[in-house]
Amino acid sequence: MLKNYISKINIDNMSCETKSQLKQHIRTRMLKIRTDLSSDFIKNAEKSSLRLISDFINEISCKKGSLLNIMSYMSFKNEFPTVALNHKILASNHRLVLPFTDSDFNIRAFYIDSIGELAVSPLGIMEPDPKTCQPALLDEVDVIFMPGVAFDKKGSRIGFGKGCYDRFLSQNTNRTILAALAYDFQITENIPAEPTDVPCGYIITEKEIFKIKST
């Protein structure tokens, strides 16, 4: 198993090159597993997680004493599903924020009032149209639901290697709550973290909400 393999590796003694190689190995293996997921598995994960995510949102809203600006993403291929979640946010009084990724792989955030406002990117992902959608500043966002390929219980994350989210989240003033959405199998024992990596504070799977101990 991938989890068992990673747990035996001493991350601290690795060179930067070896860490990068391990991250790529984890990415490749995890994407292969994700590609092979059945539609029934994904539907069941979405159904099971929606209640957990809704409770998570409600708890934060109650603590804050107000409605929230919630940044999600439009799931692509077999990413952890967000279609039902995004529709639920739109149907509530909370505001939905979605990312737009430019040609230099920099993320910009936009408010969305309807899925009909989205356009298909060159990569085939549904994204806000920056010409028509209202920009959202990171400091205005209360919660960000992050995608990813693999995570560990320290909050470390592996994406697609472009650094999009790390650059975007480096602007965070610590006010925004960062919560990764992941299938349970995407949580590994140990991921080699780089100084530029921005850890998440929570991981929400189809089974549980896991709070990172340092938060």
Side-chain angles (χ1 to χ4, degrees), residues 42-123:
I42 295 172
K43 288 177 183 177
N44 288 334
E46 182 170 43
K47 183 178 179 181
S48 299
S49 65
L50 191 58
R51 178 183 57 81
L52 292 174
I53 299 172
S54 297
D55 290 345
F56 182 78
I57 291 172
N58 289 338
E59 182 177 352
I60 295 170
S61 181
C62 287
K63 286 181 179 179
K64 182 179 172 63
S66 65
L67 298 171
L68 306 176
N69 295 324
I70 303 169
M71 184 170 175
S72 179
Y73 61 94
M74 292 298 291
S75 50
F76 181 62
K77 294 184 177 179
N78 284 3
E79 276 186 323
F80 193 88
T82 59
V83 173
L85 169 63
N86 293 341
H87 279 287
K88 188 163 188 175
I89 294 171
L90 285 171
S92 71
N93 289 320
H94 301 297
R95 292 205 69 185
L96 177 63
V97 178
L98 291 176
F100 168 83
T101 305
D102 66 22
S103 58
D104 293 320
F105 296 100
N106 293 311
I107 289 177
R108 294 156 59 193
F110 293 88
Y111 290 104
I112 293 296
D113 296 318
S114 167
I115 297 298
E117 298 176 12
L118 304 181
V120 181
S121 77
L123 295 176

Side-chain angles (χ1 to χ4, degrees), residues 41 44-45 48-49 52 80 182-185 204-208:
F41 181 92
N44 288 334
S48 299
S49 65
L52 292 174
F80 193 88
Y183 301 108
D184 182 70
F185 69 79
I204 305 176
T205 74
E206 71 274 24
K207 296 181 179 180
E208 65 178 332

Side-chain angles (χ1 to χ4, degrees), residues 188-201:
T188 68
E189 294 299 326
N190 204 349
I191 284 176
E194 305 293 342
T196 55
D197 292 347
V198 178
C200 53

